[in-house]
Amino acid sequence: MKTSLKAEVRKLRYQRSSYGILAGACAIAAISAISIIATAQLPRRELLMHLTDQAIMQTVIASTASGYIFALVLGIVMSTTEFRHSTAVATYLAQPHRRTVMLAKMIIAAVMGVIVQFLSTGMGMIAATLYVQRYAHYNTPLDTYMRVMAGSVLVGAVLAVMGVAIGSLIRSQVVAIMVSLLWLQLVEGLLIVFADWLGKWSIRGAITSVLDIAVKTGPGSGRLGGSSTLDQLGPWQSMLLLLAYGAVFAVVATVTSMRRDVD
Amino acid sequence: MQGAQLRYDHLSKHYGSTIAVRDLSGDIRPGVVTGMLGPNGAGKSTALKCLLGLAAPTSGSALIDGLPYLQVKQPGRRIGTVLETRGFHPGVTGRQNLLVLAAAIDVDDSRVNEVLAQVELTEAADRRIKGYSLGMRQRLSLAAGLLGDPETLVLDEPANGLDPHAIVWLRTLLRSLAAEGRTVLVSSHQLAEMENTVDDVFIMDKGYLRAAGSMTEVCAGRTLEQAFLAITEGGRL
């Protein structure tokens, strides 16, 4: 296991895509947070009124976790690169116990997911806090930052593991990324908007709940991005749901990889 | 050094309705170079993949010292492989590709420089693979196979892409490795080249093992090409 872990770390170190994904996550986190502030300002110059609303400022802080898509992509790339460039052959010759290879990939992916989310969320928080100072001195409780950061790194770890699993199941990098993004952003996005009783059990529903700190802060504050958050699962339930999703994906991918030939 | 005894025992491998290997049996002994020869589609690569645990046999077995690859201890060090299907990340340098492998099979990083020198690739080691020629990739593949200083080498079409000088170098290398007692199994469709390299042959065609034995026995006074054409009836079998 130790050798497989070391090999996976080296792969990530040497491949430039790892750094690109990290940079993309940081950029998206900062842009998401700033764009919410900027968008809130657009219709009329009532930004200050909006920002004094606890829920909106918390939404801005929660949006700094939006780089989680990149954690998912990182996991997918970790798996699919092996098949795209046929390095899977060398990987499985060096360590024929495929369960060990998958476990090593998932452990490193989880750690990288935490790193990606910690850095991108941190950068987003700094950007949002600095940007909002242009309009008002708004004191968001430290607790808010801490809760979003904790949720963000958990989401990053789980999604990176899911990415590894999806990549080993689908194997085609483009298809795996497209299917994952379409499912998360479109299918589950629509579910959350139009069937929130079902959407709250989806992966994205669980992510929103884990990151959501706007729930029950006051009338009307439970709407984030057009979807209701008032009826979501609690943070702990969502966390368990997300971990369960991660575990199911990990087990299915590992069992499948043990049965498939390597070309 | 004592190489491993490789054994195929009634190995068959089907891909759906296509039968890639049919009832293959035979032993590959250490200390000699064994050639698995046949045209494209003969089942050579599939037989090697079954031996190396990359493909599961439909029936029968392929064993290394009596064990399937999965149960061999430190297989990455004991069995060096040069496979046609083995790839390298094109955006990573040759040296980095080998460093990943060194970590995976638990050999010291200093060994990377040794094998790069052995395959005469030191100067290009820090260039990205996407700038490598086919011959350079093949040399890198050989370096990867030699990285663990393995007692057994399994090579699939190792001469592909090599220039005449490199082919002579490869032949000398394989002969010297076998002379040290290692097991060397080479698959190839280049009969003329293999005639000068191998001691024992397995002749395969359309998934069947058509003949096996020492070069002297199989060729019976003919060239390898003549013997091959006679055994496979010019591919009409």
Side-chain angles (χ1 to χ4, degrees):
Chain A
M1 172 58 83
K2 194 176 152 191
T3 56
S4 294
L5 289 171
K6 193 174 170 185
E8 292 303 324
V9 170
R10 284 189 174 181
K11 285 175 195 170
L12 284 174
R13 264 182 57 200
Y14 297 150
Q15 290 170 21
R16 284 190 288 190
S17 58
S18 314
Y19 304 99
I21 288 169
L22 181 58
C26 290
I28 283 292
I31 290 167
S32 297
I34 289 171
S35 65
I36 290 176
I37 300 170
T39 306
Q41 188 193 18
L42 278 179
R44 283 175 291 168
R45 295 219 170 246
E46 291 178 345
L47 174 65
L48 298 182
M49 286 177 64
H50 284 289
L51 288 182
T52 51
D53 182 340
Q54 188 86 353
I56 292 183
M57 188 56 197
Q58 285 174 330
T59 303
V60 170
I61 298 302
S63 72
T64 62
S66 54
Y68 65 78
I69 290 294
F70 286 83
L72 177 73
V73 170
L74 178 78
I76 291 173
V77 168
M78 282 178 69
S79 277
T80 53
T81 297
E82 296 267 25
F83 299 103
R84 188 178 174 197
H85 302 303
S86 297
T87 54
V89 171
T91 300
Y92 288 127
L93 285 172
Q95 176 50 272
H97 294 275
R98 299 183 187 180
R99 193 168 40 194
T100 304
V101 172
M102 289 297 290
L103 189 58
K105 273 194 190 299
M106 287 174 185
I107 289 171
I108 298 302
V111 171
M112 281 303 296
V114 167
I115 292 171
V116 165
Q117 282 306 88
F118 180 78
L119 292 179
S120 64
T121 304
M123 186 160 286
M125 285 174 171
I126 291 168
T129 307
L130 291 177
Y131 191 75
V132 82
Q133 298 299 318
R134 293 170 60 180
Y135 305 103
H137 290 285
Y138 187 87
N139 294 320
T140 306
L142 182 63
D143 177 55
T144 302
Y145 288 93
M146 300 289 281
R147 285 166 65 184
V148 169
M149 182 60 87
S152 176
V153 295
L154 174 84
V155 168
V158 173
L159 283 197
V161 169
M162 284 172 62
V164 169
I166 291 166
S168 77
L169 290 168
I170 297 181
R171 292 192 174 184
S172 163
Q173 196 162 82
V174 174
V175 174
I177 291 174
M178 290 294 291
V179 165
S180 303
L181 293 186
L182 280 175
W183 179 262
L184 265 186
Q185 304 294 58
L186 188 66
V187 178
E188 291 200 347
L190 290 173
L191 264 186
I192 289 169
V193 172
F194 295 110
D196 54 359
W197 57 273
L198 186 60
K200 67 183 178 185
W201 295 100
S202 68
I203 297 166
R204 192 168 158 188
I207 292 170
T208 307
S209 301
V210 167
L211 297 174
D212 180 18
I213 50 173
V215 178
K216 296 171 187 167
T217 54
S221 60
R223 299 196 72 79
L224 294 176
S227 61
S228 172
T229 62
L230 292 173
D231 192 31
Q232 287 177 347
L233 299 173
W236 289 105
Q237 285 173 296
S238 305
M239 205 177 289
L240 290 175
L241 179 62
L242 203 54
L243 288 171
Y245 270 119
V248 168
F249 271 88
V251 168
V252 170
T254 304
V255 169
T256 306
S257 79
M258 289 165 68
R259 292 178 179 170
R260 290 167 86 175
D261 290 346
V262 180
D263 297 316
Chain B
M1 182 171 283
Q2 176 68 32
Q5 181 86 26
L6 312 181
R7 167 166 290 176
Y8 285 105
D9 188 11
H10 298 287
L11 176 83
S12 291
K13 175 66 180 175
H14 302 188
Y15 292 104
S17 58
T18 306
I19 303 174
V21 179
R22 304 163 192 256
D23 199 31
L24 172 63
S25 291
D27 289 310
I28 293 110
R29 55 198 176 105
V32 296
V33 179
T34 302
M36 191 174 274
L37 311 178
N40 292 330
K44 311 183 296 293
S45 296
T46 301
L48 295 188
K49 281 166 68 177
C50 289
L51 181 71
L52 298 169
L54 296 172
T58 305
S59 62
S61 59
L63 304 173
I64 298 165
D65 275 343
L67 298 170
Y69 190 84
L70 188 67
Q71 291 174 24
V72 174
K73 286 191 178 163
Q74 294 188 305
R77 294 178 70 162
R78 290 188 58 203
I79 297 137
T81 51
V82 179
L83 297 185
E84 250 192 332
T85 52
R86 177 191 210 134
F88 295 101
H89 194 294
V92 172
T93 69
R95 185 189 307 282
Q96 288 172 335
N97 268 294
L98 292 183
L99 283 169
V100 169
L101 184 59
I105 65 173
D106 198 22
V107 299
D108 196 90
D109 289 351
S110 62
R111 178 77 184 140
V112 168
N113 289 334
E114 291 173 21
V115 292
L116 281 168
Q118 195 174 355
V119 300
E120 299 168 9
L121 210 57
T122 304
E123 283 184 17
D126 295 315
R127 282 166 48 189
R128 296 187 191 284
I129 302 284
K130 60 185 169 193
Y132 277 24
S133 66
L134 181 59
M136 289 163 82
R137 284 171 191 253
Q138 196 68 345
R139 283 173 183 269
L140 187 66
S141 201
L142 279 163
L146 296 169
L147 192 61
D149 191 21
E151 64 197 35
T152 299
L153 263 172
V154 178
L155 308 97
D156 190 14
E157 305 283 1
N160 276 1
L162 294 183
D163 58 40
H165 288 106
I167 288 176
V168 173
W169 167 84
L170 175 66
R171 184 194 310 144
T172 310
L173 174 72
L174 297 183
R175 303 279 336 149
S176 67
L177 291 171
E180 291 170 11
R182 301 177 208 246
T183 306
V184 182
L185 174 60
V186 192
S187 93
S188 180
H189 63 275
Q190 298 177 8
L191 300 180
E193 170 48 36
M194 286 298 110
E195 187 163 18
N196 299 318
T197 308
V198 303
D199 304 293
D200 289 351
V201 287
F202 279 54
I203 291 182
M204 294 186 69
D205 187 35
K206 297 184 176 75
Y208 288 100
L209 176 65
R210 302 292 187 191
S214 69
M215 277 286 282
T216 315
E217 292 166 355
V218 171
C219 290
R222 302 164 291 186
T223 65
L224 181 58
E225 192 174 86
Q226 288 168 338
F228 177 81
L229 290 173
I231 290 165
T232 61
E233 294 189 9
R236 278 183 279 109
L237 274 177

